[in-house]
Amino acid sequence: QVQLEESGGGVVRPGDSLRLSCAASGRTFTSYTVAWFRQFPGKERDFVAGIRRSGGNTDTSFANAVKGRFTISRDNTNSMWSLQMNNLKPEDTAVYYCAAVSRRLITSRMWQTDDYDYWGQGTQVTVSS
């Protein structure tokens, strides 16, 4: 059984950085598409960033709101992926979820919650002065 567990959330000030990590167990995630979503109160989950295999490399996708501030990386050896969040803003305050699916998604599908089979429990990120 696949399990995902996020860590690294917390309370920070505007302009600060945080690094979220997602640890996966139960499968080898080399061929998976993995991603981060976030959810604001009363809203549906929104795509933040994703990473997938592309030939012998990987490629990434980011929501416009976080481009240039967030990066995503993965460590296949340890079945972990991370979201480095820099220059955080109050509007980044949300619950962040990691997600995975056992196939390579096309770009337009990376943004869709329905295409992911596995989810973490979420970690709160609060950006406040």
Side-chain angles (χ1 to χ4, degrees):
Q1 182 177 358
V2 174
Q3 290 188 320
L4 307 182
E5 184 173 2
E6 303 99 340
S7 60
V11 181
V12 297
R13 296 183 181 276
D16 284 353
S17 298
L18 268 181
R19 186 177 182 87
L20 305 183
S21 295
C22 183
S25 61
R27 290 281 175 85
T28 301
F29 282 77
T30 305
S31 61
Y32 280 47
T33 299
V34 298
W36 290 92
F37 288 74
R38 63 186 180 185
Q39 189 167 20
F40 305 110
K43 303 291 186 180
E44 296 185 349
R45 290 181 192 182
D46 292 332
F47 176 81
V48 176
I51 186 168
R52 64 186 176 186
R53 287 186 68 182
S54 179
N57 298 306
T58 58
D59 60 25
T60 57
S61 181
F62 295 92
N64 289 336
V66 306
K67 275 183 182 176
R69 299 189 297 123
F70 291 12
T71 58
I72 185 171
S73 60
R74 65 191 293 170
D75 178 356
N76 289 329
T77 301
N78 294 308
S79 294
M80 295 184 66
W81 54 101
S82 299
L83 183 70
Q84 177 66 41
M85 306 184 293
N86 297 326
N87 190 22
L88 282 160
K89 303 176 180 181
E91 52 263 41
D92 294 318
T93 296
V95 178
Y96 285 71
Y97 296 88
C98 62
V101 61
S102 60
R103 61 187 183 277
R104 185 180 185 278
L105 296 177
I106 61 174
T107 302
S108 61
R109 301 311 304 177
M110 288 176 72
W111 294 55
Q112 307 301 320
T113 57
D114 289 349
D115 284 75
Y116 291 86
D117 295 326
Y118 308 107
W119 292 87
Q121 80 287 351
T123 186
Q124 177 70 46
V125 172
T126 301
V127 185
S128 174
S129 56

